Amino acid sequence: MTVDTCISHFLILHYLRSCMAWNLSSPKLRLQPSWTRLPYCPTLELAATISGSLFTTSATLTAVPTTTSVPSSSSSAPFPPVGSIPRDYSPAGLSRLWDLIGPVKVPPITTTVIPQTPVTLPSPPPALYPAFFAVTPKDILPDLKFPKGFLFGVASAAYQVEGAVKDEGKGPSIWDWAGHQPGVVTDNSTADVVDLHYYLYKEDVARIAALGVNSHSFSISWARIFPFGASDSPVNQQGINHYADAIATHLQFNVTPVVTLFHWDVPLALNAYYGGFASPNIVDDFIHYAKTVFTAYNGSVHTWYTFNEPQVFCANLGVFPFNLSLPNGVNSSNAQFHCSYYLLKAHAGAVKAFREMNISGEIAFKSSDYVGMPWRANNTEDVDAVERHAAFGIGVFADPVYTTGDWPQILKDTLSPDYLPRFTEEDSKEILGTADFFTIDAYRTYWNAAPPEGIDACVSNSSDPLWPSCNLEVMFDFNTGWASGPASDPLTSWLQATPQFLRASFKEYHRRWPAPRIYYSEFGFAQPFEGVRTPAELFQITEDTDRTNYYMTYLGELLLSIQEDGMPVEGAFAWAIMDNAEWNSGLSARFGIQYVNYSSPTLQRTYKRSAFALSDFFQTHLQKEVAI
């Protein structure tokens, strides 16, 4: 899953890129961005004034809070008071949960499609550039190879691709509900049908195999296994059977399945019963779900993730519409950190069960974000801002699991126990060491700067719009004024391509959170304006040069990171297998290496140039087994 739903304090300056008014001849460069609101995120309007020219060494950044038009509650299906819905595990009880969402779209296909196999690739695209200008995938560091057994594949998530949201006994998830709330999804689309991967998974796996890549990282929908989520509720055998066949299909096509237990889609019932991940009740329910899945697929799946990007997930619990289902004692301000506490306990409990059950394979969770670089290299406050960004972005979950068994000290110094519950000694023992490897969703790397009023002033003022992380993300170089890299689609304005920083980033990941191996679990790029093109423009859609260049430069740097820097990276997964429901951006932001024609009754998939480039790159850099 991409990070396009990060809350604003990770993304403060990302709108500067597209709306700066450059005037190099002026003694003062005034940057006045227009603000494009994330529908359910807290908003800030930024006014940045840089004193002197782009090449001077002083700058002032000002963040100004503004009034948001995001509704505080849903007008179409207001969420009932937490705890007011009885635990009725009957079909009628499930129907009442679906009533919270209202009507959902019926998919055009309602049975599993058996594809014609093997899938034959169409002719590859012609060379795009003259040979003197850009190398082809096979010519990028051709002498460097991935390690033996390297997992090179694509990634997806259940909510974003499956569709068939109400079929075969599935219960509603919080995102099934959120996607139907006004103002949440930019283009008013839903994931009711989306790619219909639930019925087209055999075809999709065959298409992955045809590219020659060897793995697929995907998630299981908790609400398909337990429609009501709770440990004392019935298992949906149809859900168990579906994923068993999906996993078997991967193995049949020699595509290694990498499985995530939770990719943000909490069963809606658990939010209704007790407030979901803002409540301690979630811990036992998640562990029971995890044990059920481990038992069902033990021996078929080797690599497991408990949680996808927990820092992003927890950050969104305090904002609309998820703040409508917070339990007593938790509010929009502290929901993120109560979630962090219970999620880590759930993770540790699931890993403990994994090991006690002797489940074959390995397990961890997926971190996301970057460590950062000081915007002004010799500015001690900017150096401190990097540490704050790292602590609140990755360290909040990685420190307890990989290094200390406790929260980063920066968090404890900033947040009181009513915001951030403290770990007991027993908690710390249970959490530390609950990962067999380190995993990172790393799409970009930027600079960090201190707030204009200074870090100390921000930390002491909980009404500051940057509190509690108290750092600014900056996407342009302080010394030159140039952007950190090419921009992605305006709907994903948090993302610029920054391959030049990838090697340094991986060194920092490994230095701070050492592990015997690293998986590069997600990276990808939204081709600008791809979502506004129609199916009649397919010949332009498939020519996704910006995405292709992103992948080729990142993968080249990854090879150097492995071979020259000694980073123990053993897998890389391109986001995404195909266009999908990109959370609050809906169907308008496109990350897929395959185009999906949503107006086609068969939801036709078409490979883009980036798919062929990934295929060629892997085949060139795969370390072939040598026959003896």
Side-chain angles (χ1 to χ4, degrees), residues 511-524:
R511 181 180 73 83
R512 292 170 182 261
W513 305 289
R517 55 195 169 279
I518 302 171
Y519 290 120
Y520 192 5
S521 45
E522 284 183 29
F523 66 121

Side-chain angles (χ1 to χ4, degrees), residues 277-280 283 314 329-331 333-345 396-397 400 405-408 411-425 427-428 431:
F277 271 93
S279 165
V283 177
C314 287
V330 181
N331 55 48
S333 183
N334 63 14
Q336 171 181 357
F337 302 105
H338 283 255
C339 171
S340 301
Y341 177 74
Y342 300 129
L343 189 147
L344 273 170
K345 289 175 70 69
V396 58
F397 292 97
D406 199 1
W407 306 115
L411 270 70
K412 294 194 293 181
D413 291 344
T414 305
L415 301 166
S416 62
D418 60 324
Y419 267 86
L420 181 70
R422 299 308 198 244
F423 293 122
T424 65
E425 184 176 343
D427 288 339
S428 294
I431 292 169

